[in-house]
Amino acid sequence: MKNLIDKLEQNSILTKDEFVTLIKNHDEETDCYAALKARKIADDIYGKDIYIRGLIEFTNYCKNGCYYCGINCKNKDAERYRLTDEEIFLCCDRGYELGYRTFVLQGGEDPFYTDDKIVAIVNSIKKKYPDCAVTLSIGEKEYDSYKKFFDAGADRYLLRHETADEEHYRKLHPENLSLEHRKKCLYQLKEIGYQVGCGFMVGSPFQSAENLADDFLFIHELKPHMVGIGPFIPHEKTIFAKEKAGTLKETLFFLSLLRIMEKRVLLPATTALATIDSTGREKGILAGANVVMPNLSPVAVRKKYKLYDGKVCTGEDAAECRGCLERRIESVGYHVVVSRGDYKA
């Protein structure tokens, strides 16, 4: 296993069979070896800096019925909300005061937010805070829409592919959604000029080692600037309510492999990781991550943006989140920096 990790470091890729072998046979010694290598690579490129992104979950309406997601359109028990433009801007104001220089506007695929509405929101944020990056995470659109958002000032776009295998994709999504279109969106975003993020769930229902190997191969082919992975966590109001969650062990190992493979990638230690383990973010950083995304959303709506059960930090205000994260990150020898935290080419 160590030889395969060394080969991945040297060549930045493995064959599918080699990835499958690693995924099926890694043990604690392998995990530690990969984590130490991943952390050294991240330190060599990004130092001890950890970038923070201010997450603003501005709508939990979604037109899609993805089987794993708690805000899917079939969940009639979800308490829906939309932030007003003024509420979004207040989140940015508060975040800027606290040192955030990236704002992530995340929401379901909500038809209420037309292209013009998104353009106006992005324009306003960039006009007031020209030194900040704006990241959008609002799902699948067409090329013209993505281009409008980019021309308005959006810098980055997050669109997790969730799985790179067609058969597996079909088991997680309704018929009206397609993996082909999702991948097409990612390539279009790169073509336009965004810093692009993709990613997958770890331990999602029906996932195999072969599926995961395909994820690594797709990521290597796409060459994204960011990769967001986190454990699958079931939501009580979905058809996967009784499925097992993804594990900390697997997620940390895959974070390390991603860092070793795509050495300069921006790699978050996600909220989902912190949800399955109280020190998940810290462990994620030690495995190679260099980004955290605390929540700037109003406390009153945080519990409503429930993609999965048990989500952490729903009761803390923005200042509490910021202070808590800073202390946690310092406890493992790293520090939060006040910067946009761009990809280092």
Side-chain angles (χ1 to χ4, degrees):
M1 295 305 103
K2 289 181 180 179
N3 288 338
L4 285 176
I5 291 169
D6 290 342
K7 183 177 179 181
L8 181 62
E9 181 183 25
Q10 182 176 350
N11 299 339
S12 295
I13 192 60
L14 296 173
T15 67
K16 182 171 180 176
D17 285 345
E18 287 170 334
F19 272 123
V20 170
T21 298
L22 255 183
I23 291 163
K24 286 184 173 180
N25 297 291
H26 70 100
D27 56 19
E28 188 173 344
E29 184 179 355
T30 313
D31 296 354
C32 290
Y33 186 73
L36 288 170
K37 195 173 285 289
R39 197 57 257 173
K40 184 180 187 308
I41 290 168
D43 286 356
D44 288 346
I45 297 166
Y46 291 101
K48 299 292 185 181
D49 294 349
I50 303 297
Y51 300 136
I52 55 170
R53 321 299 201 197
L55 183 62
I56 303 170
E57 298 162 334
F58 68 99
T59 175
N60 73 343
Y61 283 85
C62 189
K63 67 181 184 181
N64 295 329
C66 303
Y67 303 150
Y68 49 83
C69 182
I71 63 169
N72 79 79
C73 63
K74 304 290 187 184
N75 182 6
K76 304 306 179 186
D77 293 326
E79 191 177 348
R80 305 292 178 175
Y81 74 90
R82 295 183 179 107
L83 298 184
T84 65
D85 290 5
E86 290 71 24
E87 287 172 321
I88 293 171
F89 301 147
L90 282 172
C91 292
C92 294
D93 293 344
R94 184 68 173 125
Y96 195 86
E97 290 173 5
L98 292 168
Y100 293 89
R101 296 298 179 265
T102 290
F103 302 119
V104 181
L105 299 178
Q106 180 173 294
E109 293 193 22
D110 183 353
F112 173 83
Y113 288 97
T114 61
D115 288 358
D116 288 345
K117 282 186 169 72
I118 296 295
V119 163
I121 291 168
V122 172
N123 260 324
S124 295
I125 295 171
K126 293 294 284 192
K127 184 176 180 180
K128 186 165 187 180
Y129 297 116
D131 58 329
C132 291
V134 171
T135 301
L136 296 177
S137 181
I138 52 176
E140 296 180 32
K141 307 286 183 182
E142 297 305 321
Y143 183 96
D144 288 347
S145 299
Y146 288 145
K147 185 69 166 60
K148 287 176 188 175
F149 306 155
F150 185 78
D151 291 343
D155 303 274
R156 307 181 186 130
Y157 204 102
L158 305 180
L159 182 65
R160 297 212 317 188
H161 65 279
E162 302 301 1
T163 176
D165 178 81
E166 176 63 37
E167 185 178 347
H168 187 218
Y169 184 90
R170 287 270 58 89
K171 293 177 179 179
L172 302 177
H173 300 89
E175 286 299 318
N176 64 309
L177 298 177
S178 85
L179 178 59
E180 181 184 6
H181 187 260
R182 204 157 184 90
K183 287 182 175 180
K184 179 182 175 183
C185 288
L186 285 163
Y187 283 106
Q188 288 179 337
L189 288 161
K190 278 201 79 177
E191 179 186 333
I192 289 167
Y194 285 93
Q195 291 183 44
V196 177
C198 65
F200 57 89
M201 291 180 288
V202 177
S204 60
F206 312 109
Q207 187 179 65
S208 67
E210 288 75 15
N211 296 153
L212 287 160
D214 284 335
D215 286 318
F216 282 98
L217 293 170
F218 171 68
I219 289 166
H220 181 73
E221 175 191 290
L222 178 66
K223 287 286 186 288
H225 307 89
M226 302 165 280
V227 178
I229 71 167
F232 163 75
I233 302 174
H235 186 287
E236 62 184 351
K237 297 297 182 179
T238 68
I239 63 170
F240 295 143
K242 302 300 184 184
E243 297 289 331
K244 290 182 180 178
T247 67
L248 178 74
K249 174 184 170 66
E250 296 293 298
T251 307
L252 294 177
F253 183 58
F254 298 153
L255 281 170
S256 296
L257 293 187
L258 285 166
R259 173 62 68 198
I260 295 166
M261 181 175 77
E262 302 298 324
K263 296 173 176 57
R264 296 181 175 276
V265 75
L266 295 163
L267 197 59
T270 63
T271 302
L273 197 56
T275 297
I276 64 166
D277 185 279
S278 61
T279 57
R281 283 198 189 99
E282 296 94 308
K283 290 172 181 172
I285 289 168
L286 293 176
N290 68 326
V291 173
V292 291
M293 297 172 62
N295 206 326
L296 287 176
S297 308
V299 172
V301 303
R302 289 192 197 174
K303 289 182 180 178
K304 299 176 186 177
Y305 199 86
K306 190 181 177 186
L307 306 182
Y308 49 80
D309 289 342
K311 182 179 174 184
V312 296
C313 300
T314 56
E316 296 177 333
D317 71 19
E320 288 173 326
C321 275
R322 171 74 162 78
C324 175
L325 265 180
E326 190 158 9
R327 291 189 296 274
R328 285 174 172 269
I329 290 166
E330 287 174 353
S331 75
V332 291
Y334 290 81
H335 54 260
V336 167
V337 292
V338 175
S339 101
R340 283 172 43 119
D342 286 305
Y343 175 87
K344 292 189 176 180

